[in-house]
Amino acid sequence: MASSVDTGLIRSQWEEMLRLAASLKYGHTTASLVVGKLHAASRRSAIAQALVEFGGLQRTIYALRYLADEAYRRRITHQLNKGEALHSLRRDLFFAHEGSVRRRHHEQQTEQALCLSLVVNAITIWNTAYLELALAHLANTADGSTATCSRTSPQR
């Protein structure tokens, strides 16, 4: 931790930061355009500095919450595991050519990626339908534990 957060700068630029956030949210501008404009200046503008300070504050709050709350850590780990299960499924399906895209043209590369997404989605839907039946069966038996049900995922 190098220094403290400049809350005065954040307060002085708060209205501009809200205006920028609203412009992004309502689609009046794109994130890439904002980042480009903020980096294009020869010296960092006040709003860019305030955004950096605010980002540091948000990261600190997140880190402290992560370290202090064990249930929060478990929830994050659970979500990361779900994402990793989906990536693992994609890797397992994309075994030809050691998982690399070997098409020359952008259209063919896009087609290959879309085909993989289609197959992954089809498997996820199939698994979801059969998990629904299995969970309904478990709910009708004495073993129907909600703890086990909450940890199931169609990608596993």
Side-chain angles (χ1 to χ4, degrees), residues 23 42 97 101 115-116 127 134 137 152-153:
S23 294
S42 58
H97 302 294
V101 177
C115 288
L116 178 61
N127 287 347
H137 177 73
T152 59
S153 171

Side-chain angles (χ1 to χ4, degrees), residues 44-95:
R44 191 182 280 175
S45 66
I47 190 167
Q49 289 174 331
L51 288 169
V52 168
E53 292 292 322
F54 189 70
L57 180 63
Q58 290 297 314
R59 282 190 306 275
T60 302
I61 290 169
Y62 171 79
L64 292 173
R65 182 176 178 202
Y66 186 84
L67 292 172
D69 190 352
E70 185 179 342
Y72 185 62
R73 283 194 306 270
R74 267 187 295 213
R75 219 168 53 237
I76 289 173
T77 301
H78 180 66
Q79 286 302 110
L80 290 173
N81 288 343
K82 280 184 179 180
E84 193 52 45
L86 181 61
H87 292 305
S88 178
L89 175 60
R90 292 179 73 86
R91 268 192 309 272
D92 290 345
L93 290 173
F94 194 54
F95 64 90

